[in-house]
Amino acid sequence: MAQPTPLFVGLDVHKDSIAVAHALGQCADPPVFVGAIGSRQADLDQLIRRLHAKTPALVFAYEAGPCGYGLHRYLTSRGFSCQVVAPSLIPKKPGDKVKTDRRDAVDLARLLRSGDLTRVYVPTVEDEALRDLCRARDAARITLKNAKLRLKAFLLRLGRPYVGRADWNEAHRRYLAKVVCPTPTQQIVFQESVRAVDEQVDRRHRLEAELLERAPAWRLYPVVQALQALRGVQWLVAITVVAELGDLTRFDSPRQLAAFVGLVPSEDSSGPRRRLGAITTTGNGRARRALIEGAWRIGIRPKCPSTFSDASTRCRNRFRTSAGRRRSGCASAFVA
């Protein structure tokens, strides 16, 4: 029995609307723009019934973005093939500067038919939930850091900086309790700044407690425990890396994993020397930050752990002159 001709459907997804275009497979006809529909499930069901009249084999694709994976999960639950593609890896003509919803939908349909789109990993609902919890804890960490910087900048402007050896310890807290600002208004600002720091500290502790409580029931928790066997990898680093990367079996090689997190283990340059451990700004920034934090604990030691064998030794020898480069090399060896 002959297989039905597939219909490749490109979806440009927004909060309130979805631009739709389709391209018929096994031919070179240009894609057809259908129009814009709503983002409700009833609108999607009506679109599916309309396209089913052409062929029963429907293949969908849309760009990864703020709308998440709900559309992918709904279409796959209906039995259709759906791809969530990486926006940064979509081929574009250098001179094509016009960007509209219609053009995006048509380009998605055409590139989906030609097989030039790169799909991204779609986590399960449980994996995404724990990843959101990890990201909430990371957001609390960043907010806490900014609140501390604002408080220190305020005291520096008033000429009352803390001159102790370490910040935010018991001695620093006792110093803050004795600070008296020149005016009552500035005293209110100071007290609110201290309260903002305390609130963010409590928020971070609450989120870490929730992580400790919910992580043991996670299906990838054995991977988290296994990563902690590496030297320099603590619990928060391990669970952040696993939550951001998801199922590690989807990476075919350490080089592919390094490219995903923005760590390039080796790179050939035009010069005679070979550059190792270059850090880029691509990939998953949260996982890269956690890996580098774990590598700091390795790089500051006089001898790299035997787990990384020759790779860590080469990185250590090549990056003795710069602390940042040494950390970069050790982070790349950590991935390998």
Short mmCIF file of all heavy atoms in Angstrom, two decimals, residues 273-310:
data_model
loop_
_atom_site.label_atom_id
_atom_site.label_comp_id
_atom_site.label_asym_id
_atom_site.label_seq_id
_atom_site.Cartn_x
_atom_site.Cartn_y
_atom_site.Cartn_z
N ARG A 273 50.13 27.18 16.84
CA ARG A 273 49.78 26.58 18.12
C ARG A 273 48.33 26.12 18.10
O ARG A 273 47.50 26.61 17.33
CB ARG A 273 49.99 27.59 19.24
CG ARG A 273 51.43 28.04 19.37
CD ARG A 273 51.58 28.94 20.58
NE ARG A 273 51.26 28.22 21.80
CZ ARG A 273 51.26 28.78 22.99
NH1 ARG A 273 51.57 30.06 23.11
NH2 ARG A 273 50.94 28.08 24.07
N ARG A 274 48.01 25.21 18.97
CA ARG A 274 46.67 24.66 19.09
C ARG A 274 46.04 25.21 20.37
O ARG A 274 46.60 25.09 21.44
CB ARG A 274 46.71 23.13 19.15
CG ARG A 274 45.35 22.47 19.16
CD ARG A 274 45.54 20.96 19.17
NE ARG A 274 44.27 20.26 19.22
CZ ARG A 274 43.55 19.94 18.18
NH1 ARG A 274 43.95 20.28 16.99
NH2 ARG A 274 42.41 19.28 18.31
N ARG A 275 44.88 25.84 20.23
CA ARG A 275 44.24 26.49 21.36
C ARG A 275 43.22 25.55 21.99
O ARG A 275 42.35 25.02 21.31
CB ARG A 275 43.54 27.77 20.87
CG ARG A 275 42.95 28.60 21.99
CD ARG A 275 42.78 30.04 21.54
NE ARG A 275 41.91 30.12 20.38
CZ ARG A 275 40.61 30.35 20.46
NH1 ARG A 275 40.05 30.51 21.63
NH2 ARG A 275 39.86 30.43 19.38
N LEU A 276 43.33 25.35 23.29
CA LEU A 276 42.45 24.45 24.02
C LEU A 276 41.57 25.25 24.97
O LEU A 276 41.97 26.29 25.48
CB LEU A 276 43.25 23.43 24.83
CG LEU A 276 44.06 22.41 24.04
CD1 LEU A 276 44.83 21.54 25.01
CD2 LEU A 276 43.18 21.58 23.15
N GLY A 277 40.36 24.70 25.22
CA GLY A 277 39.53 25.22 26.28
C GLY A 277 38.93 26.58 26.04
O GLY A 277 38.76 27.36 26.97
N ALA A 278 38.62 26.93 24.80
CA ALA A 278 38.03 28.23 24.54
C ALA A 278 36.58 28.25 24.99
O ALA A 278 35.84 27.31 24.75
CB ALA A 278 38.11 28.55 23.04
N ILE A 279 36.19 29.33 25.67
CA ILE A 279 34.82 29.48 26.14
C ILE A 279 34.09 30.43 25.21
O ILE A 279 34.58 31.52 24.90
CB ILE A 279 34.78 30.00 27.58
CG1 ILE A 279 35.23 28.89 28.52
CG2 ILE A 279 33.40 30.49 27.95
CD1 ILE A 279 35.07 29.24 29.97
N THR A 280 32.94 30.05 24.75
CA THR A 280 32.11 30.89 23.89
C THR A 280 30.89 31.33 24.68
O THR A 280 30.64 30.90 25.79
CB THR A 280 31.67 30.12 22.64
OG1 THR A 280 30.83 29.03 23.04
CG2 THR A 280 32.86 29.55 21.90
N THR A 281 30.09 32.19 24.07
CA THR A 281 28.86 32.66 24.70
C THR A 281 27.65 31.91 24.17
O THR A 281 26.52 32.34 24.38
CB THR A 281 28.68 34.16 24.45
OG1 THR A 281 28.67 34.41 23.03
CG2 THR A 281 29.81 34.95 25.08
N THR A 282 27.84 30.83 23.47
CA THR A 282 26.72 30.05 22.95
C THR A 282 26.34 28.97 23.95
O THR A 282 26.99 28.76 24.97
CB THR A 282 27.10 29.40 21.61
OG1 THR A 282 28.21 28.50 21.83
CG2 THR A 282 27.52 30.44 20.60
N GLY A 283 25.26 28.27 23.65
CA GLY A 283 24.87 27.14 24.46
C GLY A 283 24.10 27.55 25.70
O GLY A 283 23.66 28.68 25.86
N ASN A 284 23.95 26.60 26.60
CA ASN A 284 23.19 26.79 27.83
C ASN A 284 24.06 27.50 28.87
O ASN A 284 25.01 26.93 29.40
CB ASN A 284 22.71 25.42 28.35
CG ASN A 284 21.67 25.55 29.43
OD1 ASN A 284 21.91 26.16 30.45
ND2 ASN A 284 20.51 24.98 29.20
N GLY A 285 23.72 28.74 29.17
CA GLY A 285 24.54 29.54 30.06
C GLY A 285 24.52 29.05 31.50
O GLY A 285 25.53 29.12 32.20
N ARG A 286 23.37 28.56 31.97
CA ARG A 286 23.29 28.10 33.36
C ARG A 286 24.13 26.84 33.58
O ARG A 286 24.82 26.71 34.58
CB ARG A 286 21.83 27.85 33.73
CG ARG A 286 20.98 29.10 33.76
CD ARG A 286 19.55 28.77 34.16
NE ARG A 286 18.71 29.95 34.20
CZ ARG A 286 18.07 30.44 33.15
NH1 ARG A 286 18.18 29.85 31.98
NH2 ARG A 286 17.32 31.53 33.26
N ALA A 287 24.05 25.91 32.64
CA ALA A 287 24.87 24.70 32.76
C ALA A 287 26.35 25.04 32.64
O ALA A 287 27.19 24.46 33.35
CB ALA A 287 24.46 23.68 31.70
N ARG A 288 26.69 25.99 31.76
CA ARG A 288 28.09 26.38 31.61
C ARG A 288 28.61 27.01 32.90
O ARG A 288 29.74 26.73 33.33
CB ARG A 288 28.24 27.35 30.44
CG ARG A 288 29.67 27.82 30.22
CD ARG A 288 29.81 28.61 28.93
NE ARG A 288 29.01 29.82 28.92
CZ ARG A 288 27.92 29.99 28.18
NH1 ARG A 288 27.50 29.02 27.39
NH2 ARG A 288 27.24 31.12 28.20
N ARG A 289 27.81 27.86 33.53
CA ARG A 289 28.24 28.48 34.77
C ARG A 289 28.47 27.43 35.86
O ARG A 289 29.47 27.49 36.61
CB ARG A 289 27.20 29.49 35.24
CG ARG A 289 27.55 30.17 36.55
CD ARG A 289 26.37 30.92 37.10
NE ARG A 289 25.24 30.06 37.34
CZ ARG A 289 25.10 29.27 38.39
NH1 ARG A 289 26.05 29.23 39.32
NH2 ARG A 289 24.03 28.51 38.54
N ALA A 290 27.56 26.45 35.96
CA ALA A 290 27.73 25.41 36.98
C ALA A 290 28.97 24.57 36.71
O ALA A 290 29.69 24.21 37.64
CB ALA A 290 26.48 24.53 37.01
N LEU A 291 29.24 24.26 35.44
CA LEU A 291 30.43 23.48 35.11
C LEU A 291 31.71 24.25 35.45
O LEU A 291 32.68 23.68 35.95
CB LEU A 291 30.41 23.11 33.63
CG LEU A 291 29.38 22.05 33.21
CD1 LEU A 291 29.36 21.90 31.70
CD2 LEU A 291 29.68 20.72 33.87
N ILE A 292 31.71 25.55 35.18
CA ILE A 292 32.90 26.34 35.47
C ILE A 292 33.10 26.46 36.98
O ILE A 292 34.23 26.43 37.48
CB ILE A 292 32.78 27.72 34.81
CG1 ILE A 292 32.82 27.57 33.29
CG2 ILE A 292 33.90 28.65 35.26
CD1 ILE A 292 32.58 28.85 32.53
N GLU A 293 32.01 26.58 37.73
CA GLU A 293 32.15 26.62 39.19
C GLU A 293 32.75 25.31 39.71
O GLU A 293 33.58 25.32 40.63
CB GLU A 293 30.79 26.87 39.83
CG GLU A 293 30.31 28.30 39.69
CD GLU A 293 28.98 28.53 40.38
OE1 GLU A 293 28.44 27.54 40.92
OE2 GLU A 293 28.50 29.66 40.38
N GLY A 294 32.31 24.19 39.12
CA GLY A 294 32.93 22.93 39.51
C GLY A 294 34.38 22.85 39.10
O GLY A 294 35.22 22.28 39.81
N ALA A 295 34.71 23.45 37.95
CA ALA A 295 36.10 23.42 37.48
C ALA A 295 37.00 24.31 38.31
O ALA A 295 38.21 24.06 38.43
CB ALA A 295 36.16 23.84 36.01
N TRP A 296 36.44 25.37 38.90
CA TRP A 296 37.27 26.22 39.77
C TRP A 296 37.86 25.41 40.92
O TRP A 296 39.00 25.64 41.32
CB TRP A 296 36.42 27.35 40.33
CG TRP A 296 36.21 28.47 39.36
CD1 TRP A 296 36.90 28.70 38.21
CD2 TRP A 296 35.24 29.51 39.46
NE1 TRP A 296 36.41 29.80 37.57
CE2 TRP A 296 35.40 30.33 38.32
CE3 TRP A 296 34.26 29.83 40.38
CZ2 TRP A 296 34.61 31.46 38.10
CZ3 TRP A 296 33.48 30.94 40.16
CH2 TRP A 296 33.65 31.75 39.03
N ARG A 297 37.09 24.50 41.46
CA ARG A 297 37.60 23.68 42.56
C ARG A 297 38.70 22.75 42.09
O ARG A 297 39.51 22.28 42.89
CB ARG A 297 36.46 22.88 43.18
CG ARG A 297 35.42 23.76 43.86
CD ARG A 297 34.35 22.92 44.50
NE ARG A 297 33.48 23.74 45.32
CZ ARG A 297 33.69 24.04 46.59
NH1 ARG A 297 34.75 23.56 47.20
NH2 ARG A 297 32.85 24.81 47.26
N ILE A 298 38.71 22.45 40.81
CA ILE A 298 39.78 21.60 40.27
C ILE A 298 40.98 22.44 39.89
O ILE A 298 42.12 22.10 40.16
CB ILE A 298 39.27 20.82 39.04
CG1 ILE A 298 38.06 19.97 39.43
CG2 ILE A 298 40.37 19.94 38.46
CD1 ILE A 298 37.37 19.33 38.26
N GLY A 299 40.72 23.59 39.24
CA GLY A 299 41.82 24.40 38.71
C GLY A 299 42.69 25.02 39.77
O GLY A 299 43.87 25.29 39.52
N ILE A 300 42.15 25.28 40.96
CA ILE A 300 42.97 25.94 41.98
C ILE A 300 43.86 24.95 42.72
O ILE A 300 44.69 25.36 43.52
CB ILE A 300 42.07 26.68 42.99
CG1 ILE A 300 41.15 25.69 43.71
CG2 ILE A 300 41.27 27.76 42.32
CD1 ILE A 300 40.27 26.34 44.78
N ARG A 301 43.71 23.67 42.47
CA ARG A 301 44.54 22.68 43.15
C ARG A 301 45.87 22.52 42.40
O ARG A 301 45.94 22.69 41.19
CB ARG A 301 43.83 21.33 43.22
CG ARG A 301 42.55 21.40 44.07
CD ARG A 301 41.85 20.06 44.10
NE ARG A 301 40.60 20.14 44.85
CZ ARG A 301 40.49 20.00 46.15
NH1 ARG A 301 41.57 19.75 46.86
NH2 ARG A 301 39.32 20.09 46.74
N PRO A 302 46.92 22.15 43.09
CA PRO A 302 48.20 22.01 42.40
C PRO A 302 48.23 20.84 41.44
O PRO A 302 49.08 20.79 40.57
CB PRO A 302 49.20 21.80 43.56
CG PRO A 302 48.37 21.25 44.68
CD PRO A 302 47.04 21.90 44.54
N LYS A 303 47.31 19.92 41.59
CA LYS A 303 47.33 18.76 40.72
C LYS A 303 45.90 18.41 40.36
O LYS A 303 45.04 18.29 41.22
CB LYS A 303 47.99 17.57 41.42
CG LYS A 303 48.18 16.37 40.50
CD LYS A 303 48.94 15.27 41.22
CE LYS A 303 49.18 14.08 40.30
NZ LYS A 303 49.91 13.00 40.97
N CYS A 304 45.62 18.29 39.04
CA CYS A 304 44.27 17.97 38.60
C CYS A 304 43.95 16.53 38.94
O CYS A 304 44.84 15.68 39.04
CB CYS A 304 44.13 18.18 37.09
SG CYS A 304 44.14 19.92 36.62
N PRO A 305 42.68 16.20 39.15
CA PRO A 305 42.32 14.84 39.53
C PRO A 305 42.65 13.85 38.44
O PRO A 305 42.67 14.16 37.26
CB PRO A 305 40.81 14.93 39.77
CG PRO A 305 40.37 16.12 39.01
CD PRO A 305 41.50 17.08 39.05
N SER A 306 42.90 12.63 38.85
CA SER A 306 43.28 11.59 37.89
C SER A 306 42.12 11.20 37.00
O SER A 306 42.32 10.51 36.00
CB SER A 306 43.78 10.36 38.65
OG SER A 306 42.76 9.89 39.54
N THR A 307 40.89 11.64 37.36
CA THR A 307 39.73 11.28 36.54
C THR A 307 39.88 11.80 35.13
O THR A 307 39.46 11.17 34.16
CB THR A 307 38.45 11.85 37.16
OG1 THR A 307 38.40 11.46 38.52
CG2 THR A 307 37.22 11.36 36.43
N PHE A 308 40.53 12.99 34.98
CA PHE A 308 40.63 13.61 33.67
C PHE A 308 41.91 13.25 32.95
O PHE A 308 42.12 13.69 31.82
CB PHE A 308 40.52 15.13 33.83
CG PHE A 308 39.29 15.54 34.57
CD1 PHE A 308 39.39 16.17 35.80
CD2 PHE A 308 38.05 15.26 34.06
CE1 PHE A 308 38.26 16.53 36.48
CE2 PHE A 308 36.91 15.62 34.75
CZ PHE A 308 37.02 16.25 35.96
N SER A 309 42.78 12.52 33.60
CA SER A 309 43.95 11.92 32.97
C SER A 309 44.76 12.97 32.22
O SER A 309 45.04 14.05 32.70
CB SER A 309 43.50 10.79 32.04
OG SER A 309 44.59 10.13 31.49
N ASP A 310 45.15 12.64 30.98
CA ASP A 310 46.05 13.50 30.22
C ASP A 310 45.40 14.81 29.80
O ASP A 310 46.08 15.82 29.64
CB ASP A 310 46.54 12.76 28.96
CG ASP A 310 47.34 11.53 29.33
OD1 ASP A 310 47.89 11.51 30.44
OD2 ASP A 310 47.42 10.61 28.50
#
